[in-house]
Structures are given as C-alpha cells and as structure tokens.
Amino acid sequence: MATLELQGIRKSFGALEVLSSVDLELEDGGFLVLLGPSGCGKSTLLSIIAGLEEASAGDILVGGRRVNEVFPKDRNIAMVFQSYALYPTMDVARNIGFGLEMRKVPGPERVEKVRAAADLLQIGHLLDRKPAQLSGGQRQRVAMGRAIVRDPDLFLFDEPLSNLDAKLRVQMRTEIKRLHDRLGTTVVYVTHDQVEAMTLGTKVAVMKEGVIQQLADPQTIYDRPANMFVAGFIGSPAMNFLDGTVETEGGPALVLTGDGQRVALDRAPAGQGARVIAGIRPEHFTLGEGSPVRLTGRIEVLEPTGPDTMVVLSVAGREITARLPPRIGLAPGAMIDLGVDRSAITFFNPETGTAL
Amino acid sequence: MIGELSETRYWMYLLLLPSLLLITAVVLYPTIYGIQMSFREMRLNRPDLGTGFVGLKHYQRMLNDPIFWLSLRNTAVWVTFAIILEFLIGLIAALALHRNLPGSRIFAVMILLPFFLPNVVAGHMWSLMLDPRLGVINDLLLKAGLIDSYRAWFADPATAMAAAILVEAWKSFPFFTLLILAGLKGIPTDLYKAASIDGAGPVAQLRLITLPMIKTIIAAAVILRVIGLVNSPDLLLVLTSGGPGRSTMVLSLFAFQTAYRDFNFGYASALSVVMFILLMIFAWIYIRLSRINQE
Amino acid sequence: MPRSRLWDLLTYAVLVILSAVCILPILWTLLTSLKYEADIVTREMIYWPTRITFDHYVTLWNQSNYPVLVVNSLVVTTVTVAICLVTGTVASYAFARFRFPGRMPLMMGYLVVRMFPAVMMIIPLFVVMRQVGLLDSRVGLAIAYTSFLLPLFVWMMKGFFDAAPKELESAARIDGSTRLGAMVRIVMPIARNGVLATCIFVAIAAWNEFLFALMLTTSQGSRTWPVGLQLMVGEFQLPWGMLAAGGIISILPVIVLFALIQRAMVAGIAAGAVKG
Ligand SMILES: Nc1ncnc2c1ncn2[C@@H]1O[C@H](COP(=O)(O)OP(=O)(O)OP(=O)(O)O)[C@@H](O)[C@H]1O
Ligand SMILES: [Mg+2]
C-alpha cells in the first residue's frame, strides 16, 4: 500500500501529444477513477504508472519514492486489463500464481496464497481450468485474482468491466468496491462509465485530450463541475445548457438568447449585460408552482423510463431534457411551465467554458 | 544480464541485431560486390584476364548480344503465359475449395502439394511423362486420337516453351490458390447474403463482391509470382537447359549459365543487375497501376 | 434446392479434376519407381504392372552415393533452420511487438531482399564464400540459404506473433517478468504452432533448393540431393526407374511434413505474403 503522485507527466508519440502535464496526488488507500472519452489518454497514463511506457517528461512517485527508472517488474504494481490478458497456455492456478512464481515465492506458500485469493473471488473450483474454458465473468475474476494475490502497493484497473454484460457489470462493481474496502490497497481505475466513477471512486479525475479537467471527490464533480466539459460528461441524461444574458435591474434574472424569456434568479452570476451559459441538470426541474424560477417550453418527446419520465422540450431554440415524475398526463406539442431548483444552476463563461 | 537488458529501450534493436548482421553479410555485401563486379572483367576459368575495371563493357556487349534480346523476349513470354495460367487455375481452385464442402480438407492437401515439391523432382516427373519414347502423355494423346505419333515435346522448338509453361503452371498455381483462399476467408459472409437477397446470382456475386474484395491480395500474389518467375531458372534448367536452340532461354537461365558454365562472372553479374533493374521498374509501375485501380 | 446442388456438383468436379492433375504425376512416378526396367521401356505402354520390384530403391541406396547426398541435405536443412530460428524469431518478435524508429524501413528492407534475383546473389556469394573458405561446405551453403529464407521466416513468423495480444507481454512484465522472460515464457508457447509451421516451411525450401547448391558445392562432401540427382542424370544416363525412386525418396519427407501441418503453414504463408 502506498500513495501515488504524478508530477508534470507528459507523453508524446512522435508529434502526437497524448498527455500534457498531468499532475495528481492520491492518498494511501484511495480509489482514484480516471474518467474520460475514448482516446483521451487514460490507458497511456496507466501504462506510464506501471512502467510499460516511458513518460516523455515528469515524475512518478509511489510511496514517496521516484520510480521513473524502475522496471515494471520491480514496481510492485498489479494491473487488470480490459482484455484480461490471461495467459492462454497456463491454467487458472498458474495464471494467478505467475507473479509469485516470478518473485520466487516458494511453492507451498504460493499454493496457499493462490487458494486464498481464489476463495476470496469464489473461483476456487476453477483452478485447474484453462482460460479458454471460462466464461467472461470468470475470466474477469481470474484477472482480479492475479492482481490481488501479490499484495501490491498499487492496483491499476483498465476498464475491467467493459467486456461484461450489464447485469454482471453491476455485480462486479459492487464486488470491486467490497474488495477495496477489505484490502485497503490504493487503486487507480480507468473507465468511461460515469456510474462506475461515481460509485467506486473516492476521487475522480475527468480527462479530456490528455489534460485533467477536474480532480475532486465524486459529489463535488457532480455538483460543481469545473467546466462545461465535465458538466456535460458526468450525469445521464446530460446537463442542459441555455444561453442567456444577465440582467440586474428589477431583480437578478437571465434573459434567454433564443426567445427573450426572462428567468428570475436569486443572485446575478455576473454583471449587467454579461453573456453566460446556464447549466441545469434534468432532475432539477420540477412540475407545479413551488419554485419562483420558471421556464417555459414546448414538449417535443416523452420518454418514460419507469420510475421517471424524461421530457424533451424545446426552450429558446435549444433542446433540453427534464426528469419528471411518471404518469403526469402530458402530450407532445403542449406548452409546459417548469420550475427550476435555482441553487443547483451552474453558470459558465461562454468563451472559456469554465464555471463562474 | 540479458533479462535486465531487455527492459531497456534499445531492446528491439538488440533483437534485430543478429538477423541484420546476417542479412548484411549474405545479402547487402554480396549485392554491392555483385554490382561492382558487373563493371569488371572476372573469369574464373581464365585468371590471366584479371579482375580489371572495364567500365560499361559488359553492358555494351549486352546491347549487341542477340542471346540477351532473345532471352528477354522469352522471359516475357514465359512470365506472361505462366502468370495467366497460374492465376486462372489458382482462382478456380480457391473458389472451389472455399465452398467448404465435405472433403475439402483432403482436396486442399492434394491441390496445394505441387507447390511444395522440389523443382528437380517436378521437372523429372514431367520429363518422364512427356518423354518422346516412353511418355505416358504421348500414349494417352495418341489413344485419344489427338496426335498421330509420339512427339518430342521438349526437343521441338515449337512446343518446348509451351510444355515448360504447362509444367510451371502445374507446379505454381497453388500459390495463387493459397493466397486467394486467404483473401476469401476475409470476406464477411453477410455480404453474400445481402447480395443474394438483392437477387445477385453466383456469377454476379463473383464479379461484384468476390473479385473486388480480393483485388489487393491478387495484386500482391501476382507481383510475388512475377518475381519468382523472373528470378528462378531451376525448372527450365532441369527441363530444357534453355534448348532446343535457345528457344526456352530466359534471362535468369542465361545469366546463370554464363556464370556456371562459362565462368564469366563479370558478364553474368551485369545480366543479373539488368534483370533486377527491369524487375524493379516493373514492380514500381505495377504497384502504381494497381493503386490507381483501387481508387 | 436443385440449383445449389448443381453448383456443389460442379465444385466437386473441379476439385476432383484438379486433385487428379496434381496427384497423378506423383503417382505415376511412384509406379515407375516400382516397375521393372523392362516394364518401363516397352513398345506398348504398361499402365498397371503385373509385378513390382524395389530394386531401384535398393540399387540407388546401395550403389550410388545417394545416402551421402541425403545426409548432406539433412545437415544443410538443419543448419539453415537453426540459423533462421535463432536470428529470425527474435527479429520477427521485435517487428511484431514494438513500434520504434526505423521499423517500417527495416521491414520493407526484409521484403525487398526477397526480390533480389537468385543469380545476382549467387555469383558474388560464390566469390565471397571462396575467399572465406566456406565454398563447398554444408555450413556455407546453409548460410547462403539464409539470404532468401531468413526474410521469409521473419515475415511469416511476424504474422504469428501479431496474433498474440500485446497485453500478455505487459501483464507478464507487471507480474515480475522481464521482456525476455515474457517472450520466452508467455508468447513463445502461444506461438509454438506458428514457429513449427514456419520452421517446416523453411526446412522444405532448404531441402528442395537446387540453384545455390549447384553453384556453391563442388564435391561429394557437401553436395545435396537435388544437385546429386541432377548430375547423376547428366553423367550416368540414370535409368528412369532409379531416377523415379530418387525423386520419391526425396519428396516423401516433404509430403509427410506438408500433410501434417498443412493448415498452420498455409495460414502462415498467406499472412507473410499478404502483409508484404
Ligand atoms: N503506441 C502508440 N503510438 C501512437 N499513438 C498511440 C499509441 N498508444 C496510444 N496512442 C494514441 O494515444 C491516444 C490515447 O490513447 P489511450 O489508449 O491512452 O486512450 P484511452 O483514453 O485509453 O482510450 P480508450 O477509452 O478508448 O481505451 C490515442 O489517440 C491513441 O491513438
Ligand atoms: Mg484505453
């Protein structure tokens, strides 16, 4: 177990800069989720932490020790790959025990540890099978077993659940969380599934094009996204954005750019006449008279999901989605007047996209 | 140690080193040596001629050497007809094998086998079967009424080249079968399903789906085979030695015999350099053309 | 479905005819090698002999230097495969696993080398080999063979290594193995069939080779069977029966090896040729 610190990590493949100055710190026993769209450099960053790729610049510190020049085999890190990367010629027991074998752990001790890890993951009965004879979920467990058996300083997970079906994914997610609670090992976990990020992480780093956009605990990321990218990336359905101009005369308000609708606010996010973008999450709309902040739009589509109904409306020429209770008897084409939880509105600078 | 060395960033170059050294020693150095030999007098049977520098002498001689021009023409005939035959038979065999009917595995072994046989044996097998006195083919053709009397296929300038090309086609058509088969495996079967739903028959499917999809692989196979046909004189050496009367003399054979029989290494080198340059020019033009076709 | 039945029938017709064309010459040679000389040289062609004999084989084996030729060929083939295996496996591994400056030009180089005319290589090799005393030696011939077989080996082998996922090496390195260890312990066992197929392909090519051997060997001590057989035909007017017997003996190992590992080999050749 150890802390992890990255200082100014850069990585280029030839002329292509994949990571530009990544800094982060993770406390001992922390669970960091790296979240970002495909191709943003998440796997590359993991490879650099593991030592499989060399950083073009910057330092990697594990447990306070600089490990840039340490070979991967000596870093005492374990990793679970998206494809699991089980050794096809070896049986499950040898797959799990391979790390111990390489570290010259004596036979009997190895057998014991492999068995313990396998039991923990409930794959004790599979030990003499070959990877080809396992189901997807079982392979995933073997890959995990291979990681935990060595008691490493650091776990790296690269989208470990993305090859599983939806149900198994939820189940394994819970299991990973339980495993982390139990073992307490520091974890870096890559995913582009934001639910995994929110449920698992003690810290979430949202990445885009090789730059960390925001590093914070999951609730902060959700409630106070640092910029429009993070706001739009986290949450499903995504946050709604409305363009408008701030007015301070006659009570703070936002005048929507498309239709001139005036939305009353409790405080002005910027000076008179400033252009802003208001971000409102779907669940912050309410039906009925309760809220003073109101927004009018035309219903385009209704998408009942069971517990909620997603209402897609057209407001000021933009499509926005509101999460409303089911069975409310609305019909497409009708005009609707919604309340907004105004404390939950986030404002962004339209030029830079950063939160105000 | 080596294990630790393998963790450094120069590991791949280390892995490449042995083969690079070897290739340098057995290919690069001899090639350069051979090119400069083509500008020298070098006759192993007449050391008195020395190894002096003679400039373009060999190349000039070549221009006025009727055998060179004849070999060049024969090479063109040899390559063109052999390629056409090999491609057509190879394609038909591949299409038949690709249907994967029961027993295909056994048929594949039998059909691909000739490609793996030694030229020396293949050559003598056919010499035996085409023999003017004992040849089984003569006998069969006679019994079928296609010829009136036994023929000396390889001794008659009119038939020698054709007979040699048939033997070559027999031996090497499986190369096309092999590559085309690999290409066919890469075509998604959905395409055919979609096409037959749209009402395309087998011939239309071949023309509209199969051939376009394996165009690149065919192009690659053709160029590889052309290289093989131009470069290796083995089969002709066994079958005819270029005869009768040089009617089957091709460039590679001419160069080889100039070296092997006359020990005139200088001229032989010049011949092979010219052959190589012609081949390169052909390959370049061919690749250009087949790229353009793709667009 | 009468129409697809018809196509099936046509397919079988094509397959049977082609197989016959491919196999019958070999069978005819086999038959000839088992006939008495009197049944070969006849007025009326004898298709199915009433008596057979192994005399041609016995004579060839006992009274000619054929055994020596075969041993020489075995030595040359083994040495060729060994050299390719040692130097080629690691090279193809490097090409398959790593992206590094110079990779593409080097790979192209290995491809272009395959285009060099045999004659162009043989003449200078003759001179060079004579200078270093490797002319007319089995090892020298094997080294000469690597000039065209090593590039082939590398391309074919690369195809097999490409098929093993890169993550396996990463996983092994994280598990505490070096790159070398990962290659030996993890990747090689996976590519084992590929290695075998590639080796057999190279072995067949070396076993069959004629032109280099004709030029680079001059004596009994190093001559391989294709050269020996060809010279026997020229010098002693070798009778058809013995020639056929020699041919059959020599292609027997090829046929057996090819039949055994046909599928892997076909895949490898296709991969090597296609990517090139
Ligand atoms: N060896 C390499 N050479 C060149 N470019 C590379 C290499 N490895 C990765 N890249 C590039 O670096 C970028 C980041 O790749 P990376 O695999 O880290 O993305 P990722 O965030 O893990 O994406 P995904 O979610 O799809 O796995 C991509 O644009 C990729 O094309
Ligand atoms: Mg990735």
Side-chain angles (χ1 to χ4, degrees):
Chain A
M1 272 171 265
T3 58
L4 170 72
E5 206 174 323
L6 301 182
Q7 298 171 347
I9 296 289
R10 284 173 193 283
K11 176 72 186 177
S12 331
F13 292 107
L16 176 75
E17 180 155 85
V18 175
L19 296 174
S20 30
S21 191
V22 171
D23 293 281
L24 61 80
E25 245 176 85
L26 181 62
E27 73 282 3
D28 189 2
F31 197 122
L32 171 74
V33 177
L34 286 175
L35 187 64
S38 196
C40 70
K42 306 179 298 285
S43 298
T44 307
L45 190 59
L46 273 202
S47 296
I48 288 173
I49 298 172
L52 298 170
E53 297 269 8
E54 249 178 298
S56 309
D59 289 326
I60 307 135
L61 286 84
V62 177
R65 181 175 70 123
R66 184 171 176 278
V67 295
N68 284 36
E69 272 79 44
V70 179
F71 297 145
K73 69 186 178 74
D74 303 321
R75 285 197 190 184
N76 198 22
I77 284 174
M79 183 158 171
V80 175
F81 294 84
Q82 178 176 357
S83 61
Y84 312 142
L86 302 182
Y87 311 127
T89 52
M90 303 179 184
D91 61 20
V92 167
R94 187 134 184 253
N95 257 288
I96 297 179
F98 189 71
L100 302 173
E101 194 181 322
M102 288 298 101
R103 291 187 167 71
K104 311 233 158 34
V105 174
E109 189 187 336
R110 206 160 74 207
V111 171
E112 198 176 305
K113 284 190 165 173
V114 168
R115 171 130 306 270
D119 287 343
L120 189 63
L121 291 161
Q122 295 146 28
I123 47 172
H125 58 295
L126 302 173
L127 284 179
D128 44 0
R129 294 227 199 138
K130 288 275 172 68
Q133 301 163 318
L134 302 177
S135 72
Q138 291 169 332
R139 280 180 213 178
Q140 214 282 332
R141 283 165 196 267
V142 176
M144 303 259 294
R146 197 164 65 179
I148 62 174
V149 75
R150 268 173 35 211
D151 190 19
D153 286 342
L154 191 61
F155 274 139
L156 306 177
F157 290 90
D158 194 352
E159 305 189 28
L161 304 183
S162 60
N163 282 342
L164 301 180
D165 63 55
K167 204 170 160 195
L168 208 51
R169 198 178 311 172
V170 174
Q171 188 187 336
M172 283 312 291
R173 196 172 72 204
T174 316
E175 213 148 313
I176 289 178
K177 182 146 190 154
R178 186 177 313 137
L179 217 59
H180 176 247
D181 290 345
R182 176 153 170 190
L183 301 172
T185 311
T186 317
V187 173
V188 181
Y189 186 105
V190 164
T191 181
H192 40 218
D193 181 325
Q194 37 133 348
V195 181
E196 275 172 36
M198 300 298 288
T199 49
L200 289 173
T202 59
K203 253 184 177 178
V204 174
V206 181
M207 285 180 72
K208 180 194 167 195
E209 287 163 15
V211 179
I212 292 188
Q213 305 290 316
Q214 188 173 11
L215 174 62
D217 63 276
Q219 205 56 51
T220 308
I221 297 248
Y222 190 80
D223 294 340
R224 292 198 305 278
N227 56 38
M228 284 177 68
F229 175 78
V230 175
F233 197 75
I234 303 270
S236 172
M239 184 183 262
N240 301 294
F241 297 115
L242 291 167
D243 299 279
T245 312
V246 177
E247 268 193 20
T248 46
E249 291 151 28
L254 183 71
V255 178
L256 298 189
T257 308
D259 58 359
Q261 221 184 120
R262 197 184 149 92
V263 183
L265 302 173
D266 56 352
R267 61 176 179 90
Q272 164 73 25
R275 294 171 49 80
V276 295
I277 292 176
I280 308 168
R281 293 207 180 272
E283 63 270 30
H284 292 139
F285 290 102
T286 50
L287 209 55
E289 303 298 314
S291 166
V293 183
R294 310 204 65 82
L295 205 59
T296 309
R298 195 162 55 85
I299 300 178
E300 300 279 333
V301 184
L302 293 172
E303 295 171 343
T305 63
D308 306 300
T309 295
M310 301 298 163
V311 181
V312 180
L313 356 133
S314 157
V315 176
R318 286 244 196 184
E319 279 208 341
I320 65 172
T321 306
R323 185 199 298 265
L324 297 176
R327 292 181 291 272
I328 43 178
L330 298 169
M335 297 300 288
I336 186 174
D337 190 28
L338 292 176
V340 179
D341 174 357
R342 61 181 161 185
S343 65
I345 303 179
T346 317
F347 293 96
F348 301 97
N349 178 333
E351 261 88 56
T352 61
T354 49
L356 296 171
Chain B
M1 279 225 350
I2 289 196
E4 297 283 310
L5 212 57
S6 78
E7 293 293 296
T8 65
R9 79 180 78 159
Y10 302 109
W11 172 235
M12 44 287 228
Y13 295 105
L14 221 61
L15 290 176
L16 286 173
L17 195 64
S19 67
L20 281 179
L21 287 180
L22 198 60
I23 291 283
T24 310
V26 295
V27 179
L28 250 37
Y29 175 68
T31 304
I32 293 164
Y33 193 99
I35 291 174
Q36 64 100 9
M37 216 190 297
S38 72
F39 298 105
R40 288 171 180 277
E41 199 60 68
M42 187 157 191
R43 298 192 184 207
L44 289 196
N45 53 345
R46 290 175 61 188
D48 53 299
L49 277 177
T51 54
F53 183 72
V54 294
L56 291 174
K57 180 185 154 199
H58 296 309
Y59 293 93
Q60 275 155 1
R61 173 181 161 191
M62 211 182 297
L63 288 179
N64 300 317
D65 186 348
I67 307 177
F68 167 73
W69 293 107
L70 179 68
S71 318
L72 192 60
R73 217 204 58 181
N74 285 342
T75 306
V77 173
W78 165 249
V79 173
T80 313
F81 286 97
I83 281 284
I84 292 173
L85 269 181
E86 287 171 18
F87 168 68
L88 288 179
I89 308 174
L91 178 66
I92 291 170
L95 289 173
L97 287 173
H98 187 62
R99 300 200 69 210
N100 257 329
L101 299 178
S104 284
R105 195 83 62 76
I106 302 288
F107 283 119
V109 173
M110 290 195 284
I111 288 177
L112 296 177
L113 188 58
F115 184 62
F116 297 90
L117 294 186
N119 275 318
V120 173
V121 173
H124 286 305
M125 270 178 192
W126 283 93
S127 302
L128 169 65
M129 293 198 304
L130 289 168
D131 190 83
R133 286 182 305 124
L134 318 168
V136 62
I137 291 182
N138 271 325
D139 198 58
L140 289 173
L141 290 177
L142 191 70
K143 290 208 169 102
L146 291 170
I147 50 174
D148 329 321
S149 62
Y150 280 20
R151 293 256 191 98
W153 300 98
F154 288 121
D156 180 350
T159 54
M161 184 57 111
I165 287 174
L166 279 178
V167 177
E168 161 61 35
W170 174 82
K171 179 154 164 34
S172 297
F173 86 87
F175 180 74
F176 280 94
T177 308
L178 228 144
L179 292 199
I180 293 174
L181 213 48
L184 291 175
K185 291 228 173 78
I187 305 179
T189 42
D190 288 355
L191 274 182
Y192 291 104
K193 287 190 196 137
S196 50
I197 288 169
D198 289 342
V203 179
Q205 288 182 14
L206 178 70
R207 196 169 56 81
L208 297 173
I209 301 177
T210 311
L211 288 181
M213 290 290 284
I214 56 174
K215 210 164 56 182
T216 339
I217 215 166
I218 291 175
V222 166
I223 192 89
L224 286 172
R225 204 53 221 131
V226 167
I227 292 168
L229 280 165
V230 173
N231 280 346
S232 40
D234 325 24
L235 197 62
L236 284 172
L237 192 61
V238 173
L239 288 175
T240 64
S241 296
R246 301 215 172 87
S247 60
T248 57
M249 183 64 86
V250 293
L251 265 184
S252 56
L253 188 55
F254 181 39
F256 184 75
Q257 288 187 343
T258 306
Y260 180 72
R261 258 199 341 229
D262 310 343
F263 286 105
N264 188 345
F265 280 21
Y267 190 42
S269 294
L271 283 169
S272 50
V273 167
V274 166
M275 202 165 92
F276 180 60
I277 291 172
L278 290 177
L279 201 55
M280 278 297 178
I281 293 173
F282 169 81
W284 187 76
I285 293 174
Y286 179 85
I287 288 167
R288 267 300 165 90
L289 286 181
S290 55
R291 280 249 175 83
I292 289 166
N293 282 347
Q294 271 172 31
E295 284 158 8
Chain C
M1 299 250 267
R3 207 165 93 174
S4 92
R5 206 36 85 60
L6 199 71
W7 279 103
D8 285 359
L9 222 63
L10 192 68
T11 307
Y12 274 121
V14 166
L15 290 177
V16 168
I17 292 172
L18 281 176
S19 305
V21 168
C22 290
I23 290 300
L24 285 181
I26 302 172
L27 291 182
W28 184 252
T29 309
L30 177 66
L31 208 58
T32 307
S33 73
L34 296 173
K35 284 180 183 173
Y36 282 95
E37 197 65 19
D39 291 347
I40 299 174
V41 188
T42 50
R43 285 188 152 265
E44 192 64 23
M45 179 79 45
I46 295 178
Y47 283 89
W48 195 248
T50 49
R51 46 183 191 160
I52 62 163
T53 171
F54 289 95
D55 277 0
H56 300 304
Y57 289 92
V58 175
T59 323
L60 186 77
W61 201 254
N62 290 335
Q63 288 169 30
S64 76
N65 57 354
Y66 214 71
V68 180
L69 298 174
V70 167
V71 170
N72 285 340
S73 272
L74 278 177
V75 172
V76 172
T77 303
T78 313
V79 176
T80 306
V81 170
I83 296 175
C84 285
L85 191 61
V86 171
T87 63
T89 309
V90 290
S92 50
Y93 189 80
F95 284 137
R97 256 314 144 267
F98 306 112
R99 302 287 174 273
F100 50 90
R103 174 174 177 270
M104 269 331 265
L106 277 174
M107 263 166 51
M108 280 302 126
Y110 275 66
L111 197 69
V112 172
V113 163
R114 275 162 66 180
M115 291 202 200
F116 287 14
V119 187
M120 194 164 106
M121 311 300 326
I122 289 176
I123 300 165
L125 273 174
F126 180 92
V127 180
V128 175
M129 291 269 172
R130 197 173 58 163
Q131 280 164 359
V132 297
L134 280 174
L135 193 64
D136 196 26
S137 88
R138 295 178 293 198
V139 174
L141 188 58
I143 291 175
Y145 282 174
T146 58
S147 67
F148 60 97
L149 290 179
L150 181 59
L152 206 72
F153 185 98
V154 169
W155 271 90
M156 216 168 137
M157 208 45 236
K158 178 184 168 291
F160 287 112
F161 281 137
D162 279 339
K166 192 174 154 56
E167 278 83 33
L168 288 179
E169 195 208 39
S170 303
R173 290 176 69 199
I174 287 172
D175 268 348
S177 166
T178 59
R179 274 179 182 156
L180 181 69
M183 174 178 155
V184 173
R185 285 200 195 81
I186 307 292
V187 185
M188 288 300 276
I190 296 172
R192 198 183 50 204
N193 284 343
V195 176
L196 192 65
T198 313
C199 282
I200 288 182
F201 184 68
V202 165
I204 291 179
W207 175 261
N208 288 349
E209 208 285 333
F210 174 56
L211 213 59
F212 277 67
L214 182 60
M215 189 78 183
L216 299 180
T217 61
T218 47
S219 73
Q220 283 294 334
S222 57
R223 196 170 281 157
T224 57
W225 73 261
V227 179
L229 195 69
Q230 182 65 15
L231 292 181
M232 276 192 245
V233 174
E235 286 166 24
F236 314 123
Q237 283 299 316
L238 199 64
W240 276 120
M242 273 174 71
L243 178 56
I248 293 295
I249 293 179
S250 320
I251 63 174
L252 212 59
V254 176
I255 294 178
V256 170
L257 285 178
F258 174 66
L260 277 183
I261 197 152
Q262 183 249 137
R263 280 216 302 176
M265 201 149 80
V266 164
I269 295 165
V274 173
K275 292 193 189 116

